[in-house]
Amino acid sequence: LLLLLLLLLLLQGAMDEDAGLCQILAMLILDSDGGRLAVKYSQLCKKELFPTHKEQLAFEKRVISKLPKPTATKSEVDVAIIDEYTVLFQACNDVFVCVVAPATENELLLLQLVEGVFSSISASAQGASFLSTGLSKQLVLDSLSDVLFVLDEVTDDGIIMETDEEKITARIRMLDEMEVTNAAQAEQMFQKATQSAK
C-alpha cells in the first residue's frame, strides 16, 4: 500500500500543469512572399512573445526569409530553427503551412500536425476546383472559412487537439465520427461483397 501511494505521488509530481501536452506557439499559413493568408497565435505568444500586430508580421517575414522557395509539387515536412523556435513547415506552389513551437516540443507530433493541417486544407480547397495543381494561394483564399475552421479545430490556445486528417476534414464537413466510421465499414463490406462475387 505504501509503495502504491509512493507511485501515485511520483506520477502526480511528473504531471505538472500542461506537462504531458504538446503546445505550439502559432500556426501560420503564408504565401511565398511572407504575406499572411491565415494565422492562429496562442495567448502566450500574443501576450509575451509577439504582442503587437507589427511584431507578428515581422516574425512571419523572418520565417519566410529562412525557408526554401516552394516548388510546384507538394514538399515533405521540413524543420527550421528560427529565432530559437522550432518551425515545421510544408509547402506547395506559393503556400507555406508552418507550425511554430518551443525548441523543447516533440517534433514527431508537430510533424503529424503539419501533415494533418496541410492535407485537410488541401482536401477542403480541392473541393472548389476540378483542375488543381495542388494547394495555392488562390485556393486558400477561396476557401478561407474552411482554412480558418481547420486552424480552429486542431488547436485550442496552443494545445494540439487533433492531428488526423480524416477527423479534421469530417469536423469541417460537420460529419459525425460515427457517420465516418459507418461509411468506412460500408465501403469495406462493399469491397468484400465485390471480391466474393468475382
Side-chain angles (χ1 to χ4, degrees):
L1 186 60
L2 184 60
L3 185 60
L4 183 60
L5 284 173
L6 236 149
L7 183 61
L8 284 174
L9 285 174
L10 283 173
L11 286 175
Q12 185 71 25
M15 297 177 75
D16 291 314
E17 59 182 84
D18 299 338
L21 302 175
C22 189
Q23 291 192 320
I24 64 167
L25 300 172
M27 294 222 40
L28 311 171
I29 314 296
L30 305 171
D31 67 15
S32 56
D33 300 323
R36 179 184 276 199
L37 301 177
V39 297
K40 184 175 182 184
Y41 284 92
S42 68
Q43 288 299 319
L44 168 77
C45 198
K46 283 194 263 185
K47 287 181 182 174
E48 296 177 19
L49 304 174
F50 309 113
T52 66
H53 181 71
K54 188 176 179 180
E55 289 174 321
Q56 291 174 6
L57 290 175
F59 176 70
E60 292 164 16
K61 291 287 186 189
R62 282 195 307 277
V63 167
I64 286 298
S65 71
K66 305 271 179 154
L67 300 181
K69 295 294 176 205
T71 61
T73 60
K74 178 177 132 180
S75 70
E76 293 297 317
V77 177
D78 205 350
V79 65
I81 304 296
I82 301 171
D83 294 350
E84 300 178 16
Y85 304 112
T86 301
V87 178
L88 273 81
F89 65 94
Q90 191 166 14
C92 183
N93 293 322
D94 55 354
V95 176
F96 283 93
V97 175
C98 306
V99 171
V100 181
T104 57
E105 286 301 338
N106 181 345
E107 290 179 10
L108 291 176
L109 188 56
L110 297 176
L111 173 117
Q112 289 177 328
L113 177 65
V114 171
E115 288 177 337
V117 168
F118 190 92
S119 298
S120 298
I121 291 173
S122 295
S124 62
Q126 299 301 331
S129 173
F130 291 109
L131 301 172
S132 178
T133 58
L135 196 57
S136 68
K137 178 179 177 178
Q138 189 60 48
L139 283 175
V140 169
L141 293 174
D142 288 346
S143 58
L144 190 58
S145 61
D146 287 342
V147 171
L148 293 171
F149 198 15
V150 167
L151 296 183
D152 222 26
E153 284 295 314
V154 296
T155 63
D156 183 19
D157 193 26
I159 298 172
I160 297 173
M161 304 300 283
E162 187 61 66
T163 61
D164 183 23
E165 180 224 339
E166 289 179 8
K167 289 182 180 178
I168 297 167
T169 306
R171 287 182 185 159
I172 290 171
R173 295 182 179 152
M174 296 191 183
L175 297 175
D176 187 10
E177 288 186 27
M178 289 299 293
E179 291 178 32
V180 173
T181 304
N182 290 342
Q185 288 174 344
E187 179 67 27
Q188 287 176 347
M189 288 176 46
F190 180 73
Q191 295 285 340
K192 287 180 183 177
T194 306
Q195 291 295 330
S196 65
K198 290 180 181 179

